[in-house]
Amino acid sequence: MLLALVQARSLLVLGVVSLFFSQILALSVPTPRHIDGQTPFLPPQGERKHRSGVLPPLRNTVGWVDPRLNGGQFLDYTTDTLGEPLNIIISSESDPDILTESGMQTYIKSIGFSRECLGLHYGHIHDADLGDGLGRKPEQFLGRQHYFPIIGTCWESIRGGHHFRAWRQNGTEANSGAWFLGASQEMDSSKNHMIVDDGYNRGRNYIVERATAGSHWRGMWWKAEVEWRDGLLESGNQGVNHGIEQDGLVAILTVHRL
Ligand SMILES: *[C@@H]1O[C@H](CO)[C@@H](O)[C@H](O)[C@H]1NC(C)=O
């Protein structure tokens, strides 16, 4: 009887302990990734950037230039104080064709995007500073996921889906020719183009998956290599439009023509 009671008690203790650990595990899943594995709390401003993975600007990167070397940043300017992550770079080591605007328009069709619906731009234009001497410049390109040929992007405009904004790093002070993309997944337009939960990471991953799987359009074939970079963009939602958390990783794509 006593033994049974002791056993029941230890089972209970075991249950409580394992519940406790499973809660810790469950809680640790959605928290933003940090370079040192610390759970987020808000340390003093000076320390925060380092803790969340932002490292000093990089030099001698091949195929692109770190915008932070010359006053730029990896958040665009949606407003003066909030921005969306520039979470993909298409390096200038890529197929030279896709570094041009018309070549880029062709390439994005191969990964399921096209230029905005009938060339109509609705909504807000974002600026970005790529540190190329041009300061904040308006987006040069907006690609939307298409579901149907021809009217495809019109459909996406109504329904929501994946999209990206693109800027080319081609000012005289950093004339790499690379494309910088801010990718995200949107809700439908009844929600006024809000970004879905985890929409920045999802938008980025969607493009990276398609590009690295290989793609083709009208007899042209491409396949991208990806390098993931930590420390360019602050993880979390500090200064991020809509306050949506993102993991701070930037995908550097080198797209090869096959
Ligand atoms: C930079 O690239 C954009 C996008 O292709 C283009 O519109 C612009 O004219 C280019 N600027 C320079 C200085 O080459």
Side-chain angles (χ1 to χ4, degrees), residues 99-102 104 115 132 134 137-141 166-172 175 177-179:
L99 302 176
T100 68
E101 208 162 324
S102 67
M104 179 70 169
R115 199 159 203 172
D132 60 2
L134 295 173
K137 59 185 178 188
E139 70 205 38
Q140 286 154 335
F141 203 98
W167 294 261
R168 203 141 75 98
Q169 190 174 47
N170 60 355
T172 51
N175 195 1
W179 287 104

Side-chain angles (χ1 to χ4, degrees), residues 75-228:
L75 285 177
D76 76 13
Y77 291 91
T78 311
T79 69
D80 278 346
T81 53
L82 294 176
E84 302 194 347
L86 300 178
N87 46 18
I88 299 177
I89 297 173
I90 298 185
S91 134
S92 64
E93 297 277 282
S94 300
D95 171 16
D97 269 357
I98 73 165
L99 302 176
T100 68
E101 208 162 324
S102 67
M104 179 70 169
Q105 279 187 49
T106 308
Y107 174 66
I108 67 167
K109 285 180 183 146
S110 79
I111 54 167
F113 286 79
S114 53
R115 199 159 203 172
E116 197 162 36
C117 173
L118 304 174
L120 295 172
H121 198 101
Y122 65 94
H124 187 66
I125 303 267
H126 295 196
D127 290 346
D129 186 343
L130 303 185
D132 60 2
L134 295 173
R136 295 189 198 182
K137 59 185 178 188
E139 70 205 38
Q140 286 154 335
F141 203 98
L142 191 136
R144 293 189 168 278
Q145 182 183 10
H146 58 72
Y147 294 96
F148 299 118
I150 305 161
I151 59 157
T153 47
C154 300
W155 174 248
E156 196 277 343
S157 300
I158 297 161
R159 217 215 70 164
H162 290 277
H163 76 291
F164 66 85
R165 299 168 196 275
W167 294 261
R168 203 141 75 98
Q169 190 174 47
N170 60 355
T172 51
E173 288 176 36
N175 195 1
S176 72
W179 287 104
F180 284 65
L181 273 51
S184 55
Q185 186 183 358
E186 276 180 349
M187 291 179 198
D188 66 60
S189 64
S190 65
K191 304 284 196 311
N192 197 21
H193 291 277
M194 278 284 292
I195 307 299
V196 303
D197 273 355
D198 203 31
Y200 297 117
N201 296 336
R202 288 162 67 151
R204 176 198 59 206
N205 295 349
Y206 181 83
I207 291 178
V208 171
E209 276 161 24
R210 292 181 148 227
T212 54
S215 61
H216 61 99
W217 182 260
R218 301 213 166 130
M220 288 171 280
W221 295 70
W222 295 272
K223 194 165 169 35
E225 275 175 84
V226 63
E227 180 202 347
W228 293 98

